[in-house]
Coordinates of all heavy atoms in Angstrom, one line a residue:
A1 N -1.0 5.0 0.1 CA -1.6 3.8 0.7 C -0.8 2.6 0.7 O -0.8 1.8 1.6 CB -2.9 3.6 -0.1
M2 N -0.1 2.3 -0.5 CA 0.8 1.2 -0.6 C 1.8 1.3 0.4 O 2.1 0.2 1.1 CB 1.4 1.2 -2.1 CG 2.3 0.0 -2.3 SD 1.4 -1.5 -2.7 CE 0.4 -1.1 -4.0
L3 N 2.5 2.4 0.6 CA 3.5 2.6 1.7 C 3.0 2.3 3.1 O 3.5 1.5 3.8 CB 4.1 4.0 1.6 CG 5.1 4.3 2.6 CD1 6.4 3.5 2.5 CD2 5.4 5.8 2.7
L4 N 1.9 2.8 3.5 CA 1.3 2.7 4.7 C 0.9 1.3 5.0 O 1.2 0.7 6.1 CB 0.0 3.7 4.8 CG 0.4 5.1 5.0 CD1 -0.9 5.9 4.8 CD2 1.1 5.4 6.3
V5 N 0.3 0.6 4.1 CA -0.1 -0.8 4.3 C 1.2 -1.6 4.4 O 1.3 -2.5 5.3 CB -1.0 -1.3 3.1 CG1 -1.1 -2.9 3.1 CG2 -2.4 -0.6 3.2
G6 N 2.2 -1.3 3.7 CA 3.5 -2.1 3.7 C 4.2 -1.9 5.0 O 5.0 -2.7 5.5
L7 N 3.9 -0.8 5.7 CA 4.5 -0.4 7.0 C 3.7 -1.1 8.2 O 4.2 -1.1 9.3 CB 4.6 1.1 7.2 CG 5.6 1.9 6.3 CD1 5.5 3.3 6.6 CD2 7.0 1.4 6.8
G8 N 2.5 -1.6 7.8 CA 1.7 -2.2 8.9 C 0.4 -1.6 9.2 O -0.3 -2.0 10.0
V9 N 0.0 -0.4 8.6 CA -1.3 0.2 8.8 C -2.4 -0.6 8.2 O -2.2 -1.0 7.1 CB -1.2 1.6 8.3 CG1 -2.6 2.3 8.5 CG2 -0.2 2.4 9.1
R10 N -3.4 -0.9 8.9 CA -4.5 -1.6 8.4 C -5.9 -0.9 8.3 O -6.8 -1.5 8.0 CB -4.7 -2.9 9.3 CG -3.5 -3.9 9.3 CD -3.2 -4.4 7.8 NE -2.0 -5.2 7.8 CZ -0.8 -4.8 7.4 NH1 -0.7 -3.4 6.9 NH2 0.2 -5.6 7.3
S11 N -5.8 0.4 8.7 CA -6.9 1.2 8.6 C -6.5 2.5 8.0 O -5.8 3.3 8.5 CB -7.5 1.4 10.0 OG -8.6 2.3 10.0
L12 N -7.1 2.8 6.8 CA -6.9 4.1 6.1 C -8.2 4.8 6.0 O -9.2 4.2 5.6 CB -6.4 3.8 4.8 CG -5.1 2.9 4.6 CD1 -4.8 2.7 3.1 CD2 -3.9 3.7 5.2
S13 N -8.2 6.1 6.3 CA -9.3 7.0 6.1 C -9.1 7.7 4.8 O -8.1 8.5 4.7 CB -9.5 7.9 7.3 OG -10.6 8.6 7.0
V14 N -9.9 7.5 3.8 CA -9.8 8.0 2.4 C -11.0 8.7 2.0 O -12.2 8.3 2.3 CB -9.4 6.9 1.5 CG1 -9.2 7.3 0.1 CG2 -8.2 6.1 1.9
S15 N -10.8 9.9 1.3 CA -12.0 10.5 0.8 C -12.9 9.6 -0.1 O -12.3 8.7 -0.8 CB -11.6 11.8 0.0 OG -11.0 11.5 -1.2
P16 N -14.1 9.8 0.0 CA -15.1 8.8 -0.8 C -14.7 8.7 -2.2 O -14.7 7.6 -2.8 CB -16.4 9.5 -0.6 CG -16.2 10.2 0.7 CD -15.0 10.7 0.7
R17 N -14.3 9.7 -2.9 CA -14.0 9.7 -4.2 C -12.7 8.8 -4.7 O -12.5 8.4 -5.7 CB -13.9 11.0 -4.9 CG -12.9 11.9 -4.5 CD -13.0 13.3 -5.1 NE -12.0 14.2 -4.5 CZ -10.8 14.3 -4.6 NH1 -10.1 13.5 -5.5 NH2 -10.1 15.2 -4.0
K18 N -11.9 8.6 -3.6 CA -10.6 7.8 -3.8 C -10.7 6.4 -3.3 O -9.9 5.5 -3.7 CB -9.5 8.5 -3.1 CG -9.2 10.0 -3.7 CD -8.0 10.5 -3.1 CE -7.7 11.9 -3.7 NZ -6.5 12.5 -3.2
I19 N -11.7 6.0 -2.7 CA -11.8 4.7 -2.0 C -11.7 3.6 -3.0 O -10.9 2.7 -2.8 CB -13.1 4.6 -1.2 CG1 -13.1 5.4 0.1 CG2 -13.4 3.1 -0.8 CD1 -14.4 5.4 0.8
N20 N -12.5 3.5 -4.0 CA -12.5 2.5 -5.0 C -11.1 2.3 -5.7 O -10.6 1.1 -5.8 CB -13.6 2.7 -6.1 CG -14.9 2.5 -5.4 OD1 -15.1 1.8 -4.4 ND2 -16.0 3.0 -6.1
K21 N -10.5 3.4 -6.0 CA -9.2 3.3 -6.7 C -8.1 2.7 -5.8 O -7.3 1.8 -6.2 CB -8.7 4.6 -7.3 CG -7.6 4.5 -8.1 CD -7.7 3.7 -9.3 CE -6.5 3.6 -10.3 NZ -6.6 2.7 -11.3
V22 N -8.1 3.2 -4.5 CA -7.1 2.7 -3.5 C -7.3 1.2 -3.3 O -6.5 0.4 -3.2 CB -7.2 3.5 -2.2 CG1 -6.5 2.8 -1.1 CG2 -6.7 4.9 -2.4
K23 N -8.7 0.8 -3.1 CA -8.9 -0.6 -2.9 C -8.5 -1.4 -4.0 O -8.0 -2.6 -4.0 CB -10.4 -0.7 -2.5 CG -10.9 -0.3 -1.2 CD -12.4 -0.3 -1.0 CE -12.9 -1.8 -0.9 NZ -14.3 -1.8 -0.5
E24 N -8.9 -1.0 -5.3 CA -8.5 -1.7 -6.4 C -7.0 -1.9 -6.6 O -6.5 -3.1 -6.9 CB -9.0 -1.0 -7.7 CG -8.9 -1.7 -9.0 CD -7.5 -1.4 -9.7 OE1 -7.0 -0.3 -9.6 OE2 -6.9 -2.5 -10.3
V25 N -6.2 -1.0 -6.3 CA -4.7 -1.0 -6.4 C -4.2 -2.0 -5.4 O -3.5 -2.9 -5.6 CB -4.1 0.3 -6.4 CG1 -2.5 0.2 -6.2 CG2 -4.4 1.1 -7.6
L26 N -4.7 -1.8 -4.2 CA -4.2 -2.7 -3.0 C -4.6 -4.1 -3.3 O -3.8 -5.0 -2.9 CB -4.6 -2.1 -1.7 CG -4.1 -0.9 -1.2 CD1 -4.8 -0.4 0.1 CD2 -2.6 -0.9 -1.0
S27 N -5.7 -4.3 -3.9 CA -6.2 -5.7 -4.0 C -5.4 -6.5 -5.1 O -5.5 -7.7 -5.2 CB -7.7 -5.8 -4.3 OG -7.9 -5.3 -5.6
R28 N -4.6 -5.8 -5.9 CA -3.9 -6.5 -7.0 C -2.7 -7.2 -6.4 O -2.0 -7.9 -7.2 CB -3.5 -5.5 -8.0 CG -4.6 -4.9 -8.8 CD -4.2 -4.1 -10.0 NE -2.9 -3.5 -10.0 CZ -2.7 -2.2 -10.3 NH1 -3.7 -1.4 -10.7 NH2 -1.4 -1.7 -10.3
F29 N -2.3 -6.9 -5.3 CA -1.0 -7.4 -4.7 C -1.3 -8.2 -3.3 O -2.3 -7.9 -2.6 CB -0.1 -6.3 -4.4 CG 0.2 -5.4 -5.6 CD1 -0.5 -4.2 -5.7 CD2 1.0 -5.8 -6.6 CE1 -0.3 -3.4 -6.7 CE2 1.3 -5.0 -7.7 CZ 0.6 -3.7 -7.8
T30 N -0.4 -9.1 -3.1 CA -0.5 -9.7 -1.8 C 0.2 -8.8 -0.7 O 1.0 -8.0 -1.0 CB 0.3 -11.1 -1.7 OG1 1.7 -10.9 -1.9 CG2 -0.1 -12.1 -2.9
L31 N -0.2 -9.1 0.5 CA 0.4 -8.3 1.6 C 1.9 -8.5 1.7 O 2.6 -7.5 1.9 CB -0.2 -8.7 3.0 CG 0.2 -7.9 4.2 CD1 0.0 -6.4 4.0 CD2 -0.5 -8.4 5.3
Q32 N 2.4 -9.7 1.4 CA 3.9 -9.9 1.3 C 4.5 -9.1 0.2 O 5.6 -8.5 0.4 CB 4.2 -11.4 1.1 CG 5.7 -11.7 1.2 CD 6.0 -13.2 1.0 OE1 5.0 -13.9 0.8 NE2 7.2 -13.6 1.2
E33 N 3.9 -8.9 -1.0 CA 4.5 -8.1 -2.1 C 4.5 -6.7 -1.7 O 5.5 -6.0 -1.9 CB 3.7 -8.4 -3.3 CG 3.8 -9.7 -3.9 CD 2.8 -9.8 -5.1 OE1 1.6 -9.3 -5.0 OE2 3.1 -10.5 -6.1
I34 N 3.5 -6.2 -1.1 CA 3.4 -4.7 -0.6 C 4.5 -4.5 0.5 O 5.2 -3.5 0.4 CB 2.0 -4.5 -0.1 CG1 1.0 -4.5 -1.2 CG2 2.0 -3.0 0.6 CD1 -0.5 -4.4 -0.8
E35 N 4.7 -5.4 1.5 CA 5.7 -5.3 2.4 C 7.1 -5.3 1.9 O 7.9 -4.6 2.3 CB 5.5 -6.4 3.5 CG 4.3 -6.1 4.4 CD 4.0 -7.3 5.3 OE1 4.5 -8.4 5.2 OE2 3.1 -7.0 6.3
T36 N 7.3 -6.2 0.9 CA 8.6 -6.3 0.3 C 9.0 -4.9 -0.4 O 10.1 -4.4 -0.1 CB 8.6 -7.5 -0.7 OG1 8.5 -8.7 -0.1 CG2 10.0 -7.5 -1.4
V37 N 8.1 -4.3 -1.2 CA 8.4 -3.1 -1.9 C 8.6 -2.0 -0.9 O 9.5 -1.1 -1.0 CB 7.4 -2.7 -3.0 CG1 6.2 -2.2 -2.4 CG2 8.0 -1.8 -4.0
T38 N 7.9 -2.0 0.2 CA 8.0 -1.0 1.2 C 9.4 -1.1 2.0 O 10.0 -0.1 2.2 CB 6.9 -1.1 2.3 OG1 5.7 -0.9 1.5 CG2 7.0 0.0 3.4
K39 N 9.8 -2.3 2.2 CA 11.1 -2.6 2.9 C 12.3 -2.1 2.1 O 13.2 -1.6 2.5 CB 11.2 -4.1 3.4 CG 10.3 -4.4 4.5 CD 10.5 -5.8 4.9 CE 9.5 -6.0 6.1 NZ 9.1 -7.4 6.3
E40 N 12.0 -2.2 0.7 CA 13.1 -1.8 -0.2 C 13.3 -0.2 0.0 O 14.4 0.2 -0.2 CB 12.7 -1.9 -1.6 CG 12.8 -3.4 -2.2 CD 12.3 -3.5 -3.6 OE1 12.5 -2.5 -4.3 OE2 11.8 -4.6 -3.9
S41 N 12.2 0.4 0.3 CA 12.4 2.0 0.4 C 13.3 2.4 1.7 O 13.8 3.4 1.7 CB 10.9 2.5 0.7 OG 10.5 2.2 1.9
F42 N 13.5 1.5 2.6 CA 14.4 1.8 3.7 C 15.8 1.9 3.2 O 16.6 2.5 3.9 CB 14.4 0.6 4.7 CG 13.0 0.4 5.4 CD1 12.8 -0.7 6.1 CD2 12.0 1.4 5.4 CE1 11.5 -0.9 6.8 CE2 10.8 1.3 6.0 CZ 10.6 0.0 6.7
N43 N 16.1 1.4 2.1 CA 17.5 1.4 1.5 C 17.8 2.8 0.8 O 18.9 3.0 0.4 CB 17.7 0.3 0.6 CG 17.7 -1.1 1.3 OD1 18.0 -1.2 2.5 ND2 17.0 -2.0 0.7
Y44 N 16.8 3.6 0.5 CA 17.0 4.7 -0.4 C 17.2 6.0 0.4 O 16.7 6.1 1.6 CB 15.7 4.9 -1.2 CG 15.4 3.7 -2.1 CD1 14.2 3.2 -2.2 CD2 16.5 3.1 -2.9 CE1 14.0 2.1 -3.0 CE2 16.2 2.1 -3.7 CZ 14.9 1.5 -3.7 OH 14.7 0.4 -4.5
S45 N 17.9 6.9 -0.1 CA 18.3 8.1 0.7 C 17.5 9.4 0.2 O 17.8 10.4 0.8 CB 19.8 8.4 0.6 OG 20.1 8.6 -0.8

């Protein structure tokens, strides 16, 4: 979820039992922070 949001996806379909945890984790960070860590992944092999 973190990777997808960082790549620009704004709509995730998640099983009901995972929704709260995904929302909680994503809400701890700004969009800029999420995008930054995702962009770092472009450097890895």
Side-chain angles (χ1 to χ4, degrees):
M2 184 76 62
L3 174 68
L4 292 167
V5 169
L7 290 173
V9 175
R10 298 298 176 258
S11 178
L12 302 174
S13 180
V14 179
S15 69
R17 61 184 171 78
K18 295 182 178 185
I19 291 172
N20 288 338
K21 188 62 177 170
V22 168
K23 284 173 71 173
E24 184 271 321
V25 167
L26 291 174
S27 70
R28 293 190 336 226
F29 307 101
T30 66
L31 187 55
Q32 184 176 6
E33 290 171 323
I34 295 171
E35 288 172 345
T36 298
V37 76
T38 299
K39 286 179 184 161
E40 285 178 32
S41 69
F42 296 163
N43 299 319
Y44 302 129
S45 60

